[in-house]
Amino acid sequence: MPTVDDALEHAGEFHFFQKQMFVLLALLSAAFTPIYVGIVFLGFTPDHRCWSPGVAELSQRCDWSPAEELNYTVPGLGPTGEATHGQCWRYEVDWNQSTLGCVDPLAGLATNRSRLPLGPCGDGWVYDTPGSSIVTEFNLVCANSWLLDLFQSSVNVGFFIGSVGIGYIADRFGRKLCFLTTILINAASGVLMAVSPTYTWMLIFRLIQGLVSKASWLIGYILITEFVGPSYRRMVGIFYQVAFTVGLMVLAGVAYALPHWRWLQFTVSLPNFCFLLYYWCIPESPRWLISQNKNAKAMRILKHIAKKNGKSLPASLQSLRHEEEAGEKLNPSFLDLIRTPQIRKRTLILMYIWFTSSVVYQGLIMHMGLAGDNIYLDFFYSALVEFPAAIIIILTIDRIGRRYPWAAANMVAGAACLASVFIPDDLQWLKITVACLGRMGITMAFEMVCLVNAELYPTFIRNLGVLVCSSMCDIGGIITPFLVYRFTGIWLELPLVVFAAVGLVAGGLVLLLPETKGKALPETIEEAENIQRPRKNKEKMIYLQVKKADIASN
């Protein structure tokens, strides 16, 4: 009995209908960007200092310049040799007293400023920025700076829970229903976050966005790969991720135009409501309908696809079977991922590589927001280098193979992070070049693990293997904000040292995986265990058996 792939050979594997679907779903992929890495702009931390009552009045009376005001009133910005406490501590001085002079007003209180008592910023902070962020509005600095880490981690907690739970719902109740529901919840929670009155409400709505946004992105990925023929799936999968890169570049421009976080959040959330119009544009997946024994509906959709593509289905294709019906149905278990030695090794390596890819990719973006001179241009340029990553994958994956480009990408990312630590600040052009090279490497590594993961598992545990291994991506995303923001408090370049270490180790571990170029997907545990050996061709086996029979009869 024919399958959906057989029907798509007649209806068109990648013609007008599939191209139309790809454009629509690519817009969704681009719209996912602000949720995944929007923390760079939403959580931007500008230069800041304690607000002290009376300082502004004294500065006005004395006609100080901004530099003089900082020099006279902020700890750590005065005479050379004093500790830098300016962002989180202030002098315990009554700036309203009339005895303070205009030239070094603290000289009459102590001969050495370091002897003056310091206290925490009890009256808030002054931020040197024309715009606003969640940091400046909710004072997420100093003792409360960990709340910024929690904000970004909550998104990744939502990713982790949502991709598992909603993935099951999509398999149970259909791609389209789940797709539209997650879009609605994502759009509503994004807008509500933009008007949240408190940090707690903002955190709740961000968590809800995490629960549904990555799930809708994954369902979009599933839909476009299920609508096209098998020879185009890898290509559309790569370009679906390229659409995410386009979203990064657009986000940089929108953030530059809207420096206030509430307007930015509202602007990037509102277009998600437009995706609800896809109810009339995108049909249900015919593969899912067949898996649910809804053959008639699947055939109507396939005929619609054929009509859109200017083709027709032959009369013989009136009843289709699901691809998985042919073999024996097995119930996959987590133990199947660790029971045999080769699959166990691959599972552990892939889990680490998914974890590393997420940590280094998100970490480099967050670190750029802390260390960059122009956050908007740096973000734009670093997004631009993701395009060559996709091109290199397309050019090498079927020529050179998977393993060596994948390992090289991880090692380039790690080496670039390490090199950035030792490049002096006055060689800014070199620092930017190396940073872009590292970003291109980790982008290529991230996209490669998405493509290759499924090729290393046998059919009946393939989905489980991808789900378990890719879940480490979200675990990495949960700890990355704490790693970046806490480690930069110790030393600005310390996160880069960590990224270099984990990236170089990942590159070495990739070399322990088998090459899958030119090999058929393994169907059984035995074939997966022996994937490094040449797979016997069934036709050759049959031919040999026939020859043996002829010899025996003679």
Side-chain angles (χ1 to χ4, degrees):
M1 190 179 293
T3 65
V4 174
D5 286 340
D6 297 324
L8 285 174
E9 289 183 9
H10 297 277
E13 293 189 76
F14 193 68
H15 291 269
F16 178 77
F17 172 83
Q18 285 89 352
K19 292 174 183 176
Q20 184 184 51
M21 292 300 101
F22 176 78
V23 171
L24 293 175
L25 292 171
L27 293 175
L28 178 79
S29 180
F32 178 56
T33 301
I35 301 171
Y36 196 66
V37 294
I39 185 67
V40 174
F41 303 110
L42 296 175
F44 174 66
T45 303
D47 290 334
H48 54 279
R49 61 188 183 277
C50 296
W51 183 81
S52 299
V55 167
E57 291 78 5
L58 180 61
S59 178
Q60 186 177 8
R61 176 169 65 85
C62 295
D63 195 25
W64 286 337
S65 67
E68 287 176 322
E69 179 182 329
L70 291 176
N71 182 54
Y72 290 144
T73 63
V74 178
L77 297 178
T80 304
E82 293 187 6
T84 302
H85 299 292
Q87 293 188 329
C88 298
W89 298 88
R90 66 181 182 181
Y91 292 119
E92 292 290 353
V93 171
D94 181 8
W95 295 97
N96 290 307
Q97 55 184 305
S98 58
T99 57
L100 295 176
C102 290
V103 179
D104 199 3
L106 298 178
L109 301 178
T111 56
N112 190 335
R113 291 190 195 179
S114 62
R115 299 178 183 274
L116 288 172
L118 298 177
C121 303
D123 297 293
W125 286 263
V126 177
Y127 297 96
D128 296 330
T129 177
S132 67
S133 69
I134 62 173
V135 172
T136 63
E137 180 161 337
F138 298 109
N139 290 325
L140 307 184
V141 292
C142 299
N144 292 327
S145 59
W146 66 275
L147 293 174
L148 178 63
D149 312 0
L150 181 63
F151 173 79
Q152 180 64 11
S153 293
S154 67
V155 184
N156 286 278
V157 171
F159 290 164
F160 179 73
I161 299 172
S163 59
V164 176
I166 296 178
Y168 169 78
I169 295 172
D171 286 340
R172 177 69 179 84
F173 299 101
R175 317 289 197 230
K176 186 174 180 178
L177 174 63
C178 193
F179 181 66
L180 294 171
T181 303
T182 54
I183 285 173
L184 176 61
I185 297 173
N186 180 32
S189 57
V191 170
L192 289 172
M193 179 188 148
V195 296
S196 298
T198 65
Y199 171 83
T200 302
W201 279 111
M202 181 186 67
L203 189 67
I204 291 171
F205 290 126
R206 195 60 165 180
L207 174 62
I208 294 173
Q209 273 200 301
L211 286 170
V212 296
S213 58
K214 186 178 180 182
S216 63
W217 186 89
L218 288 172
I219 294 171
Y221 183 92
I222 292 169
L223 278 171
I224 189 58
T225 54
E226 290 185 340
F227 280 135
V228 303
S231 57
Y232 290 93
R233 282 181 200 146
R234 184 180 297 151
M235 189 68 69
V236 298
I238 292 172
F239 280 100
Y240 186 76
Q241 296 178 73
V242 169
F244 177 86
T245 301
V246 175
L248 291 172
M249 299 170 64
V250 173
L251 176 61
V254 175
Y256 178 78
L258 299 171
H260 296 278
W261 80 270
R262 289 189 183 272
W263 282 111
L264 175 61
Q265 175 64 20
F266 183 78
T267 302
V268 299
S269 298
L270 201 60
N272 285 289
F273 285 105
C274 298
F275 295 133
L276 295 174
L277 298 174
Y278 287 5
Y279 175 83
W280 291 278
C281 304
I282 298 179
E284 181 56 271
S285 166
R287 298 177 191 274
W288 179 82
L289 289 171
I290 291 172
S291 72
Q292 301 297 309
N293 297 318
K294 298 179 180 179
N295 203 291
K297 290 184 179 179
M299 287 306 304
R300 284 200 297 270
I301 291 173
L302 287 169
K303 288 177 180 178
H304 171 73
I305 293 173
K307 183 179 179 181
K308 280 272 191 178
N309 291 338
K311 298 177 179 291
S312 60
L313 292 178
S316 58
L317 292 174
Q318 296 303 316
S319 183
L320 303 176
R321 66 171 173 83
H322 195 241
E323 285 86 341
E324 296 179 359
E325 286 182 4
E328 178 186 357
K329 290 192 175 180
L330 301 171
N331 293 319
S333 165
F334 176 76
L335 292 176
D336 292 317
L337 300 177
I338 58 175
R339 183 175 286 118
T340 55
Q342 291 301 320
I343 292 180
R344 178 169 60 247
K345 181 180 78 172
R346 289 170 208 162
T347 299
L348 295 175
I349 291 175
L350 287 168
M351 289 174 72
Y352 177 81
I353 292 173
W354 273 104
F355 175 85
T356 299
S357 299
S358 175
V359 168
V360 179
Y361 183 83
Q362 292 192 54
L364 284 177
I365 293 176
M366 293 179 195
H367 187 266
M368 175 187 58
L370 297 174
D373 292 331
N374 186 321
I375 185 174
Y376 305 103
L377 281 178
D378 290 345
F379 192 91
F380 181 85
Y381 291 146
S382 64
L384 204 60
V385 300
E386 292 194 7
F387 290 106
I391 295 172
I392 292 172
I393 291 174
I394 294 171
L395 294 177
T396 61
I397 196 169
D398 288 324
R399 292 177 174 85
I400 300 175
R402 280 81 158 138
R403 190 170 55 166
Y404 291 120
W406 189 10
N410 279 288
M411 290 181 177
V412 166
C417 290
L418 189 60
S420 295
V421 175
F422 300 101
I423 297 175
D425 291 335
D426 54 345
L427 294 176
Q428 193 63 26
W429 65 271
L430 181 59
K431 209 173 185 71
I432 292 173
T433 302
V434 172
C436 288
L437 192 63
R439 177 70 174 275
M440 183 176 70
I442 196 59
T443 300
M444 184 175 169
F446 214 158
E447 294 184 3
M448 288 286 283
V449 71
C450 296
L451 295 172
V452 179
N453 196 156
E455 298 179 346
L456 295 172
Y457 286 106
T459 301
F460 84 100
I461 60 169
R462 186 167 296 128
N463 289 337
L464 179 65
V466 173
L467 181 65
V468 170
C469 294
S470 63
S471 67
M472 295 304 296
C473 170
D474 300 322
I475 300 297
I478 292 171
I479 72 166
T480 300
F482 292 94
L483 187 154
V484 173
Y485 295 127
R486 295 313 100 214
F487 280 19
T488 50
I490 301 172
W491 177 35
L492 184 62
E493 309 296 347
L494 184 56
L496 294 179
V497 176
V498 177
F499 300 155
V502 297
L504 292 172
V505 170
L509 290 176
V510 167
L511 295 175
L512 300 179
L513 295 173
E515 178 58 67
T516 57
K517 170 180 167 291
K519 292 184 172 65
L521 292 176
E523 298 174 4
T524 65
I525 292 285
E526 182 182 1
E527 290 179 355
E529 282 289 301
N530 298 317
I531 198 172
Q532 290 165 309
R533 303 173 188 172
R535 188 176 175 183
K536 294 181 180 180
N537 187 289
K538 291 184 178 179
E539 293 182 0
K540 289 183 179 179
M541 291 175 65
I542 294 171
Y543 174 75
L544 289 172
Q545 289 171 0
V546 170
K547 292 294 289 183
K548 287 179 181 179
D550 290 342
I551 293 171
S553 62
N554 293 333

